[in-house]
Amino acid sequence: MAKDDEWEELARRQSRKRRPLKRDKKRSKEEQLDSDFERNEQNEFVRDLEEKSSKYAWMKEKRYSTMFRDIEEKIQGAMGTGSFDWVDRRVFDQVFDRLTLMALYKLMKTGVIDTLDFPVARGKEAHVFHGTSLSGEPVAVKIFHTSNAVFKNLVQYIEGDPRFTGLRRKHRDLVEVWVRKEHRNLTRLARWGLNVPLPRGIHKNVLIMDYLGTEQSPSPKLRDVLIDDPQSVYDDLIEFLAVSWQKANLVHGDFSPYNILWHDGRAKVIDVGQGVVESHPKSQEFLVRDVTRLVEWGKKNNLDVDLAEAMYEVLNMDLSHVKQIELPEEWN
Ligand SMILES: Nc1ncnc2c1ncn2[C@@H]1O[C@H](COP(=O)(O)OP(=O)(O)O)[C@@H](O)[C@H]1O
Ligand SMILES: [Mg+2]
């Protein structure tokens, strides 16, 4: 809660900073016209939303419109202005509430991301956007929905994880715990050298990680690609599960060909939010389910595999050669 207040305060200060318009006066007429035009466009955007629902009344407040203006050019992926004219206003409705915009604002102000560009996927729990880091690298910005419905079934993955005990929380807090969980799981897997997108930052319901894909689209899901050498992919993924279990002490929990992307000729595992540690009461059940999914994929690709053997490998594979690696400090 204190953190929210901090942000309110920052937004207030920011708007105070903008008030003296001396700099504006110095601007050339042309610049002034440009900026008036942009402001009008933005006002129209805000007016449009306001007409639909009173829940956007906050947007009219001066401090928020100042915040908008401050990052306007960088959040075209949210506003649907400029060259990213994709916007379905329902997306805005679903994704960008007041606190989410403030979270993006903070991630921009602290230099974790520079721009939010365009959406690449929408899931049940989150939208994923293509963004750009300050150094110009593409990043994936996963923004979790904070509306009520979907999170109910996720509670089971949090309760029972000793890292997140004693939580009796409001819905939004729960979402934030979930995002932190995904971030910690990603970090843990990455430290063991596993093939996941590296985590780059997190704030509230927004998670930043390496982007897997091209400027046109994210890398395809394993289920949608024809694999030349399924045996080597299978072996790679069995080892992934073995290292996760034996070394990282983590079970993915939703290890399906939907959550594995085919990127640069290798399988990269995503969507690790539901991953649980070994001491979670359902960890073994989840592990068997994960291995089963992989074996099913193998069978579909004409491999001679079976569950008992695969389980044996995951539990007993010799991993003495696998060592932890250091991640860049700023990503922790
Ligand atoms: N790091 C990433 N790089 C590129 N695309 C991604 C990345 N993470 C997720 N995506 C895209 O977003 C989709 C949904 O992400 P996922 O983490 O599976 O969320 P959900 O919980 O909604 O299933 C993925 O199927 C993929 O297309
Ligand atoms: Mg998924």
Side-chain angles (χ1 to χ4, degrees):
M1 272 300 102
K3 288 255 168 70
D4 284 351
D5 292 346
E6 244 170 60
W7 277 102
E8 303 265 336
E9 175 54 30
L10 223 163
R12 246 193 313 274
R13 257 189 273 147
Q14 201 60 39
S15 78
R16 248 184 262 135
K17 243 196 283 173
R18 280 287 307 181
R19 217 164 286 151
L21 289 173
K22 266 189 217 138
R23 214 187 56 180
D24 289 356
K25 274 190 201 140
K26 275 200 206 133
R27 283 193 195 165
S28 73
K29 230 188 185 142
E30 206 172 304
E31 267 179 323
Q32 190 62 50
L33 281 175
D34 274 356
S35 103
D36 285 351
F37 176 76
E38 273 172 22
R39 206 160 302 169
N40 273 340
E41 250 195 4
Q42 183 208 322
N43 285 343
E44 216 150 89
F45 176 77
V46 171
R47 239 193 327 272
D48 217 53
L49 287 167
E50 279 165 8
E51 267 169 29
K52 297 216 175 77
S53 158
S54 60
K55 83 178 191 213
Y56 294 110
W58 60 271
M59 283 187 169
K60 253 194 317 209
E61 288 176 43
K62 186 162 167 111
R63 59 185 143 149
Y64 295 116
S65 75
T66 308
M67 176 180 88
F68 261 128
R69 211 178 306 144
D70 207 27
I71 56 171
E72 190 178 0
E73 277 171 31
K74 298 181 178 296
I75 57 164
Q76 300 188 353
M79 313 257 302
T81 52
S83 50
F84 301 107
D85 210 12
W86 59 275
V87 149
D88 176 341
R89 290 290 153 83
R90 274 171 306 180
V91 173
F92 192 91
D93 200 58
Q94 236 182 328
V95 181
F96 298 98
D97 62 4
R98 186 173 60 93
L99 290 171
T100 301
L101 272 170
M102 288 174 90
L104 277 174
Y105 186 64
K106 159 127 192 197
L107 287 162
M108 285 173 177
K109 286 290 161 189
T110 52
V112 181
I113 51 171
D114 185 35
T115 59
L116 182 78
D117 307 327
F118 53 89
V120 292
R122 59 190 68 180
K124 288 185 301 296
E125 290 121 27
H127 271 71
V128 177
F129 287 78
H130 179 291
T132 309
S133 74
L134 276 179
S135 56
E137 291 166 308
V139 293
V141 183
K142 187 170 180 181
I143 304 181
F144 289 76
H145 306 150
T146 51
S147 66
N148 244 313
V150 280
F151 266 83
K152 296 230 164 73
N153 97 68
L154 301 184
V155 173
Q156 58 167 327
Y157 295 91
I158 292 176
E159 278 172 355
D161 187 323
R163 296 173 299 171
F164 300 97
T165 50
L167 301 170
R168 195 163 283 199
R169 287 164 170 274
K170 293 199 313 272
H171 174 74
R172 201 180 161 102
D173 290 341
L174 208 59
V175 174
E176 286 174 18
V177 172
W178 184 263
V179 183
R180 283 209 294 282
K181 192 160 170 285
E182 175 150 356
H183 183 259
R184 285 180 71 166
N185 288 349
L186 266 186
T187 306
R188 195 184 267 229
L189 295 168
R191 280 219 181 96
W192 282 102
L194 290 166
N195 238 342
V196 293
L198 294 179
R200 286 165 166 258
I202 177 177
H203 187 65
K204 306 262 177 197
N205 59 324
V206 183
L207 170 68
I208 317 291
M209 63 192 134
D210 280 351
Y211 174 80
L212 311 171
T214 65
E215 292 302 301
Q216 278 71 46
S217 59
S219 297
K221 298 177 178 63
L222 187 59
R223 73 174 295 275
D224 296 328
V225 282
L226 202 65
I227 299 292
D228 283 341
D229 182 4
Q231 186 68 52
S232 75
V233 175
Y234 179 85
D235 293 344
D236 199 23
L237 290 172
I238 283 282
E239 183 168 334
F240 183 100
L241 291 175
V243 174
S244 305
W245 176 258
Q246 293 185 38
K247 296 290 192 179
N249 180 24
L250 205 72
V251 180
H252 185 288
D254 193 8
F255 196 76
S256 84
Y258 286 91
N259 285 330
I260 300 171
L261 301 186
W262 187 247
H263 181 73
D264 271 354
R266 270 199 82 179
K268 288 250 186 191
V269 178
I270 61 164
D271 207 2
V272 303
Q274 67 289 309
V276 297
V277 290
E278 199 183 332
S279 61
H280 186 283
K282 288 191 170 176
S283 67
Q284 295 184 4
E285 183 187 325
F286 292 155
L287 180 66
V288 174
R289 196 172 66 190
D290 283 356
V291 178
T292 305
R293 292 253 185 85
L294 177 56
V295 169
E296 281 165 5
W297 179 85
K299 285 187 172 149
K300 243 169 83 192
N301 283 272
N302 303 315
L303 298 180
D304 180 21
V305 290
D306 84 327
L307 181 59
E309 226 170 89
M311 277 310 298
Y312 185 85
E313 274 195 80
V314 168
L315 299 176
N316 299 297
M317 186 182 291
D318 176 12
L319 296 172
S320 47
H321 61 286
V322 178
K323 302 275 180 290
Q324 282 211 67
I325 55 174
E326 297 263 326
L327 294 183
E329 221 170 84
E330 67 271 21
W331 292 356
N332 292 329

